[in-house]
Amino acid sequence: MAATGLLLAAVATVVWSGSFITSRALNDSVPPVQAAFWRWIAAIAVLAPFALRATWRRRTLIRRHLGYVTLAALLGVTLYNTLVNQAGLTAPASTMGMIMAASPVLIAVCERLGGTRLGLRRIAGLAVACLGVLLLSGDGALPSGFAAGELWMLAAAVSFASYSVLLRRRPPELGGLPFLFAAFALGTLLLAPAHALSVAVQGGFEPTAATVGPLLYVGVFSSALAYFAWNKAVALIGPARAGVVYHLQPVCVAALSFVILGERTGPAGLLCMGLILGGVALAATGRSR
């Protein structure tokens, strides 16, 4: 059971790591909002045969918790992936992955703002991880400012952290798959006006193998398959142990970006990766009070 859970968590982590590669691969061909919109259209199409009936049966519960579902959809669907795509216009995929590695620390910040007291170990981990992000953005030195892509990625990490904290308060009666399908659908609906504006201003993209292939990857694998694998992993081994595997994401992104995009990680980047991962691990083992 534990080995299966760890394997499923690893599958989700590797698949999600590929999303940063596709964001970089599409930066010259598909505008960020359009890439996010069609990602979720593909995800909805894949989930519909499995989730539509159960979602319809829970329609009264979804309406009752519509405010919660809408906020979760806004943070986790509408904003998060759009911000990642925007960051992919200029930020290297390896940098995007390492900044996202600090998201568990940001989750701790959100918890503190919600009233949870943090232990000293979690505070120390937060400081170390934030130092790693700062050094990463300054190529090994403390930066005087952030590049545009890094700011977009930090915003994406904040959105993901906020979504994750909110997810812990999901009403259990909604069910996992119906909630996920409803969030996908609502998030795509919220994204539709921005998509229409993007098409009107920037024009549409040409549907070729170089554009449709990556969009299908993030829609089918990063959205539908990875979420399913991650949810199953959490059910088998719990969120804490699954989260340890998630911390390997920047390593996966760096490896994939080197193999696929030819992006190299220098000594400074490796040092920053170590600081971020060390800080996140330290924060994850700390206790809340």
Side-chain angles (χ1 to χ4, degrees):
M1 293 286 286
T4 302
L6 290 171
L7 178 61
L8 288 171
V11 168
T13 299
V14 173
V15 172
W16 278 330
S17 298
S19 298
F20 299 116
I21 309 301
T22 59
S23 294
R24 288 291 290 165
L26 293 172
N27 66 346
D28 293 327
S29 54
V30 183
V33 172
Q34 296 180 43
F37 179 81
W38 288 106
R39 166 195 179 129
W40 294 113
I41 291 294
I44 290 170
V46 170
L47 278 182
F50 307 99
L52 192 57
R53 183 176 298 178
T55 305
W56 177 254
R57 287 200 298 265
R58 287 176 171 82
R59 62 189 183 277
T60 302
L61 287 171
I62 292 173
R63 283 198 299 267
R64 183 183 305 166
H65 300 288
L66 187 59
Y68 171 85
V69 177
T70 301
L71 182 57
L74 176 66
L75 292 169
V77 177
T78 306
L79 291 179
Y80 169 59
N81 289 282
T82 306
L83 292 169
V84 170
N85 293 339
Q86 184 66 37
L89 293 177
T90 54
S94 55
T95 299
M96 295 165 65
M98 282 188 277
I99 291 176
M100 273 305 298
S103 60
V105 180
L106 294 174
I107 292 173
V109 173
C110 292
E111 289 180 335
R112 182 65 186 92
L113 293 175
T116 301
R117 296 184 63 189
L118 304 179
L120 291 178
R121 185 175 295 180
R122 297 189 73 179
I123 294 173
L126 171 63
V128 172
C130 287
L131 176 62
V133 172
L134 288 172
L135 291 175
L136 173 67
S137 302
D139 292 326
L142 290 176
S144 57
F146 289 97
E150 293 160 354
L151 286 173
W152 286 117
M153 201 61 220
L154 285 171
V158 171
S159 179
F160 178 77
S162 302
Y163 168 77
S164 298
V165 172
L166 186 67
L167 194 62
R168 298 178 182 180
R169 301 180 181 179
R170 176 177 62 86
E173 63 269 19
L174 285 178
L177 198 57
F179 166 75
L180 194 63
F181 186 76
F184 282 7
L186 276 172
T188 305
L189 184 63
L190 293 171
L191 194 58
H195 172 263
L197 180 61
S198 174
V199 172
V201 174
Q202 300 173 293
F205 64 92
E206 184 178 356
T208 65
T211 56
V212 174
L215 289 175
L216 286 176
Y217 173 84
V218 294
V220 176
F221 294 98
S222 294
S223 299
L225 174 64
Y227 273 96
F228 174 81
W230 183 259
N231 290 348
K232 186 66 175 178
V234 170
L236 289 173
I237 61 176
R241 295 184 69 186
V244 172
V245 180
Y246 176 81
H247 296 156
L248 296 176
Q249 182 171 253
V251 180
C252 297
V253 174
L256 290 172
S257 62
F258 173 73
V259 173
I260 299 174
L261 301 178
E263 295 179 353
R264 296 181 179 273
T265 301
L270 293 175
L271 173 62
C272 296
M273 183 187 298
L275 285 172
I276 293 172
L277 291 178
V280 169
L282 185 62
T285 57
R287 296 182 178 180
S288 301
R289 293 183 297 175

